Amino acid sequence: MQVLGVLGLGNIGSRVAAVGSAFGMKVIAWSENLTRDRAQSAGAELVSKEELFRRSDVLTVHLILSKRTKGLVGPRELALMKPEARLVNTSRGPIVDEQALIECLRKRRIGGAALDVFDVEPLPAGHPFRTLDNVVATPHVGYVTRNLYRTFYGDTVASIAKWLDSRN
């Protein structure tokens, strides 16, 4: 059974945990303030940070970027991961130490990474993530859905219409 590790089991992380469970994965989770009850209510097992990195076949990041979370996934955490493990970051780039991840991927210490966020966006043309064959990178659009676009553009049109009405 594959193990899905969820780093940050909030609104998005708990939904990702549900998807992992639906695919028959064992779900484990850790974050600094996560409780056993909260983890269980999301269908996950609360584990230590070290165990999360050691046991995960796929480790997905769902934290808010703050002083506390910047660089939270660094060389030490990456070194704990299985050689075939995958890291997924769709949260915020600086949560993962980018240089440590590049080094780890170049030396094939983990199987690969799927990234939708980066330290610098858009990702510079010569960035290593663009050439490493064990990286799948998207330009911070992983959240985009047809319904979300309807909401964005619908709200924009409504705001413009309201502004135009206020001028008359």
Side-chain angles (χ1 to χ4, degrees), residues 29-153:
W30 177 87
S31 63
E32 194 169 315
N33 297 313
L34 183 61
T35 65
R36 190 167 311 285
D37 288 343
R38 172 73 183 112
Q40 286 176 346
S41 72
E45 174 190 348
L46 175 63
V47 296
S48 69
K49 181 180 172 188
E50 292 76 20
E51 190 175 353
L52 181 79
F53 283 87
R54 244 188 252 109
R55 288 180 52 196
S56 297
D57 294 298
V58 177
L59 192 142
T60 182
V61 180
H62 300 283
L63 296 168
I64 295 169
L65 180 61
S66 68
K67 288 179 185 176
R68 193 173 62 186
T69 61
K70 185 175 181 178
L72 184 69
V73 179
R76 181 177 171 276
E77 291 76 19
L78 294 168
L80 294 171
M81 295 179 75
K82 300 174 185 178
E84 66 278 4
R86 309 280 194 235
L87 175 74
V88 178
N89 187 7
T90 59
S91 188
R92 292 291 179 258
I95 293 171
V96 177
D97 179 327
E98 196 169 271
Q99 289 308 307
L101 180 58
I102 290 167
E103 170 101 2
C104 182
L105 291 164
R106 280 186 174 146
K107 293 183 176 178
R108 302 210 176 263
R109 291 186 188 138
I110 64 172
L115 308 168
D116 189 54
V117 290
F118 312 96
D119 286 0
V120 175
E121 294 179 9
L123 193 62
H127 197 283
F129 287 152
R130 291 183 179 267
T131 58
L132 289 166
D133 67 356
N134 52 355
V135 172
V136 174
T138 57
H140 204 155
V141 295
Y143 66 93
V144 176
T145 65
R146 181 173 288 153
N147 287 337
L148 190 57
Y149 270 142
R150 272 195 204 105
T151 299
F152 283 163
Y153 291 116

Side-chain angles (χ1 to χ4, degrees), residues 3-37:
V3 176
L4 174 65
V6 182
L7 180 59
L9 197 60
N11 290 332
I12 295 171
S14 59
R15 290 180 179 182
V16 172
V19 171
S21 292
F23 279 98
M25 297 179 86
K26 166 77 175 155
V27 180
I28 61 176
W30 177 87
S31 63
E32 194 169 315
N33 297 313
L34 183 61
T35 65
R36 190 167 311 285
D37 288 343

